[in-house]
Amino acid sequence: MSADFYDPNKKSSGGPTTSSAGGPAASAEPAPPPIPPPAGAPAYPVQPPLPPVADGNLEPLRIPTAPQGEGAAQDRVRIGLWGAPRSGKTTYLAALPIAAMQGRRHSPHNWLISGMTPEANNFLGDSVSQLAVRRVFPQATVGIQNMSWAFQGEVAPSGMMRHRTQQVSFVLEIQDASGEVFKRDHPQHQGIVDQLARAQGLIYLFDPLGDAQELTESLTFFYSTLNELSTRIRDMGGHYRGRLPHHVSVCVAKFDHPDVFRPSVEAGWVTQDTVGSQLPRVPAQLSERFFQWMCDDFRGSNARLVRDGLANFFHPDRISYYATSAIGFRLNPQHVFDYRNYVNEEIVDGVRRICTSPEPINVLEPLTDLEHNIRTARAGRKGWRR
C-alpha cells in the first residue's frame, strides 16, 4: 500500500482551533510542533529573507503625465524639426526654456516647460546652463534624439473672450536630428522621414548663411526629404486637399548675425520696440514677404526653389513665417539694444561664446503657434463630424 500524499491545505485534527472572531482560540496547552511532511513529499528549499527596502518609506512613483490630467495620445502634438547642417536646430531647442522664462516680459502669455523623462529634463537643465551661465553653444546633435516635453500655458485668447485668460496644456514630442540625416544617402534618412510623416507640425529652419555654402546648402537637404515625405503621406492616404497635411513654421534663423541683420535693416524690414529692451524685430504682418525677399534678393536661385517647394507641397494657410534668433542681440549694461554694439557672439580662445545673457527672438512662438493651429484644426474636424 502506497503512502498518502501530503496535502498542505488539509487541516490537522490536532491543530489549533479558531474562535468565532476568526483568531486562534485560547488554549492552556502549547501548540504542538509542526508535523513534518510524510516520506515521499517534495522538499522545498528554505527561502532567503527579503532584502531590505532601498527607498525607505517613499511613496511609489507613478508614470509621468501631462499637467491638468491630459496627455492621452490624441492630445499629444508631434513636431518635426527640419533643417540643413549647422542651421541651429539644437541651439533652437536649447533656447526654448529661456524664451519661456522671459515670455512675460515680451507677451501676455506664460508657459511652463518640463520634461516627461529624466533625459528630457537633463536636456532642459543643461541647455539653460550652457546658454545662460557658461554662455557657450551646445554641441551639434549626432543621429536622432527624441524628447517629450509637457507645456502648461496661460494665454490671452482673441475674440469676444479677450479679457479672460485661457489655460492650455499639451505634450510635445519632438526630435532633434543632425542635418546630415536629411540627406538621401544617410543611413538614418528613412527613419527621419518616418518621423516627419507621423508629425502634425514641422519647424523648418532656413539658414541664410549656411545656404551660401555647398556643404550646407538648404536645397541639398530639402527636396529629397520633401519628395519622400509626400510619397509616404500618399501611401498612408493622408494628403490634405491634394497637399501635405502638416502645419509649418518657417524660421529664418540667425536673425541676429550682422550678415543677416544689417542687410535686413537697410532693406527696411526691421522695426524696433520702444519700451523695455527696445529689441529689433520683423513685424508679423511682414514676415512672409521678408522670407520672400530673403530667397529672391538676398540668397539666390536655390533658395527660391526652397521657397517654391514649401508653397507647392503645403497649403499656404498652414504656413507661418518668423525671423528667429536663438541667442538674440547683445544688450548694453542698461539691458537695452544699441545698434553700435549688438553682435552677441565672440571668439574666446578659439571657442564661440555668447557675450550677454540670451534674449531669444521668435523661438517659442513658432512652436506654440503650431500647437494652437493644430488644436484649432482638430476642433474644426470634430465640429464638422457632428
Side-chain angles (χ1 to χ4, degrees):
M1 183 175 180
S2 60
D4 293 336
F5 288 104
Y6 173 65
D7 183 358
N9 297 316
K10 184 177 180 181
K11 293 184 179 179
S12 172
S13 59
T17 59
T18 57
S19 67
S20 59
S27 175
E29 298 181 0
I35 301 175
Y44 295 98
V46 178
Q47 297 297 318
L50 294 175
V53 179
D55 55 3
N57 295 320
L58 297 179
E59 289 292 329
L61 180 65
R62 297 182 60 82
I63 61 173
T65 58
Q68 299 181 359
E70 297 192 13
Q74 64 270 20
D75 296 322
R76 289 177 178 252
V77 178
R78 294 188 181 94
I79 303 295
L81 189 59
W82 186 8
R86 294 191 289 278
S87 59
K89 295 184 295 300
T90 303
T91 306
Y92 170 87
L93 290 178
L96 274 171
I98 297 177
M101 286 189 287
Q102 296 174 346
R104 293 294 292 183
R105 288 201 276 116
H106 305 298
S107 76
H109 309 319
N110 188 75
W111 289 99
L112 301 179
I113 306 177
S114 57
M116 293 292 290
T117 63
E119 293 78 12
N121 271 327
N122 289 340
F123 181 91
L124 292 170
D126 292 344
S127 297
V128 173
S129 176
Q130 287 176 319
L131 294 183
V133 180
R134 296 165 52 199
R135 295 183 183 173
V136 296
F137 291 88
Q139 295 292 323
T141 302
V142 177
I144 303 175
Q145 181 179 4
N146 298 297
M147 289 177 286
S148 294
W149 296 339
F151 280 67
Q152 185 173 8
E154 185 179 75
V155 301
S158 57
M160 298 181 62
M161 305 299 290
R162 191 175 303 170
H163 61 286
R164 294 186 180 181
T165 59
Q166 181 181 4
Q167 302 296 321
V168 177
S169 63
F170 63 94
V171 174
L172 170 71
E173 295 181 355
I174 195 166
Q175 101 289 327
D176 180 21
S178 63
E180 290 79 7
V181 171
F182 296 98
K183 201 169 183 179
R184 184 175 54 186
D185 57 357
H186 193 279
Q188 292 180 294
H189 181 69
Q190 294 303 319
I192 196 63
V193 172
D194 287 340
Q195 294 200 12
L196 295 183
R198 291 193 297 268
Q200 295 109 346
L202 302 174
I203 295 176
Y204 179 70
L205 289 183
F206 175 76
D207 178 10
L209 302 178
D211 191 68
Q213 304 172 21
E214 182 178 355
L215 293 178
T216 56
E217 193 174 56
S218 297
L219 190 61
T220 304
F221 304 87
F222 177 78
Y223 180 73
S224 61
T225 299
L226 189 60
N227 185 53
E228 291 187 41
L229 177 60
S230 181
T231 301
R232 199 71 51 87
I233 295 295
R234 180 203 65 198
D235 295 342
M236 296 164 53
H239 277 95
Y240 169 74
R241 290 161 53 188
R243 304 191 196 186
L244 292 173
H246 303 75
H247 296 263
V248 184
S249 289
V250 178
C251 299
V252 178
K254 303 176 183 177
F255 177 59
D256 62 287
H257 197 285
D259 291 344
V260 176
F261 180 67
R262 187 172 56 249
S264 301
V265 170
E266 294 171 355
W269 294 105
V270 181
T271 62
Q272 187 174 3
D273 295 343
T274 57
V275 297
S277 298
Q278 302 180 30
L279 297 175
R281 63 185 75 249
V282 174
Q285 66 272 17
L286 300 179
S287 55
E288 180 177 358
R289 292 170 54 196
F290 172 68
F291 178 68
Q292 301 277 355
W293 169 81
M294 185 67 64
C295 295
D296 280 335
D297 299 338
F298 182 78
R299 192 65 288 146
S301 59
N302 286 340
R304 286 195 291 271
L305 283 175
V306 172
R307 177 203 62 193
D308 295 341
L310 289 168
N312 178 243
F313 281 82
F314 302 97
H315 276 274
D317 57 353
R318 290 194 169 191
I319 306 180
S320 301
Y321 300 87
Y322 306 84
T324 297
S325 170
I327 63 172
F329 297 95
R330 182 173 189 164
L331 303 179
N332 68 11
Q334 289 72 43
H335 206 67
V336 176
F337 175 86
D338 186 346
Y339 191 52
R340 293 165 298 188
N341 186 20
Y342 64 84
V343 180
N344 203 17
E345 180 182 336
E346 60 185 353
I347 306 295
V348 178
D349 298 329
V351 178
R352 294 171 59 218
R353 300 186 65 87
I354 303 168
C355 300
T356 62
S357 182
E359 292 275 347
I361 298 173
N362 278 336
V363 166
L364 189 62
E365 292 81 357
L367 186 61
T368 55
D369 289 351
L370 273 182
E371 189 279 332
H372 172 77
N373 295 335
I374 293 168
R375 176 162 39 87
T376 302
R378 284 174 175 170
R381 287 196 298 269
K382 292 178 181 178
W384 179 82
R385 287 170 185 166
R386 287 196 295 266

